[in-house]
Amino acid sequence: MYPCHKSSDIVKYCQKLGFNRISDLILINEESWRSQEETREEALYIWKQIKECVYKGVNKEGVLPGGLNVTRRAAGINRKLLGDKIYKNKDEWFQQVVDAEENFTNINKWIACFALAVNEENASFGRIITAPTNGASGVIPAVLMYAQAFTPFTSEDDIVRFLLVAGEIGTLFKKNATISAAMGDVRQRSVYLLQWQQPVLRKF
């Protein structure tokens, strides 16, 4: 096992072991808990839940509970982007997203739609993917949905590696700063995030 308490630890061990991808290091560290196949199965299960959560969020309209009269927005964005296209389940819906017109504006709207869908499921007591906190629950799902819908990185291996790296980054936040805005300064998290903008860490 190669304990990583800060980003420099990841760089050090990747160089030591000759790894070109951060996910290779994380995968062998996970073996202290379970086999690589079990890790892979768990990651793909998380992806399945993310997709299900987003699908539910983009198909529910109305007002969120809580008395603030906040109107759900994800369904409206989804409807505007897909127009009159018909789908019967999440796989058909996702294919419609993949086949939709690709331009910068539309892709940005889809990312917002994905994030809002999860956040609205959170706010209405639905099942969510907490990443890294309930308040930021739409972040990881939105980025992963974007990658699956609009980039070439769509294999199951890409999904697993994405989630491994996302989890490791979240762990570094937890160890060195905080994943709670209530406990620490939000700027602290932003500064820490900037440390990851090093070329050596840009590959999963």
Side-chain angles (χ1 to χ4, degrees):
M1 186 173 179
Y2 301 90
C4 299
H5 301 292
K6 49 188 182 294
S7 58
S8 58
D9 290 333
I10 296 178
V11 175
K12 176 179 68 177
Y13 289 128
C14 281
Q15 291 175 341
K16 178 180 179 179
L17 298 169
F19 291 155
N20 293 321
R21 296 182 292 191
I22 299 171
S23 54
D24 290 332
L25 175 64
I26 302 166
L27 196 57
I28 63 170
N29 274 343
E30 285 293 313
E31 288 189 302
S32 63
W33 301 96
R34 54 195 167 194
S35 69
Q36 288 194 14
E37 185 56 37
E38 288 173 322
T39 297
R40 180 181 176 83
E41 289 176 2
E42 288 293 326
L44 293 175
Y45 175 75
I46 291 172
W47 161 239
K48 179 182 177 182
Q49 296 304 314
I50 286 174
K51 200 172 178 181
E52 184 69 34
C53 182
V54 174
Y55 180 70
K56 288 179 179 178
V58 300
N59 285 287
K60 288 183 182 177
E61 304 208 43
V63 176
L64 292 169
L68 297 178
N69 295 318
V70 176
T71 302
R72 285 179 174 268
R73 296 168 55 197
I77 297 173
N78 177 70
R79 187 169 55 256
K80 287 180 181 178
L81 289 169
L82 289 183
D84 58 358
K85 293 183 174 66
I86 298 172
Y87 52 85
K88 297 178 182 177
N89 54 57
K90 67 177 183 295
D91 293 324
E92 289 184 8
W93 166 78
F94 187 70
Q95 190 58 50
Q96 296 281 11
V97 174
V98 172
D99 294 339
E101 180 183 355
E102 282 192 33
N103 59 57
F104 182 77
T105 300
N106 278 4
I107 289 175
N108 276 341
K109 288 179 179 179
W110 274 120
I111 294 170
C113 181
F114 300 150
L116 281 169
V118 177
N119 287 336
E120 289 169 0
E121 282 298 284
N122 175 20
S124 60
F125 308 105
R127 186 167 192 180
I128 63 165
I129 307 300
T130 306
T133 62
N134 283 356
S137 60
V139 176
I140 295 301
V143 176
L144 183 52
M145 288 287 291
Y146 157 77
Q148 289 296 295
F150 303 114
T151 78
F153 306 104
T154 59
S155 70
E156 289 189 345
D157 189 57
D158 291 323
I159 294 170
V160 171
R161 290 184 179 278
F162 173 92
L163 290 171
L164 286 172
V165 175
E168 185 66 19
I169 293 174
T171 299
L172 292 180
F173 274 86
K174 184 177 180 180
K175 290 177 179 177
N176 295 281
T178 177
I179 58 173
S180 171
M183 291 179 61
D185 192 335
V186 174
R187 289 173 297 176
Q188 182 182 23
R189 291 186 287 171
S190 299
V191 170
Y192 191 71
L193 180 60
L194 290 176
Q195 296 176 16
W196 279 85
Q197 306 307 310
Q198 304 175 51
V200 72
L201 292 179
R202 286 181 182 164
K203 288 185 177 180
F204 283 176

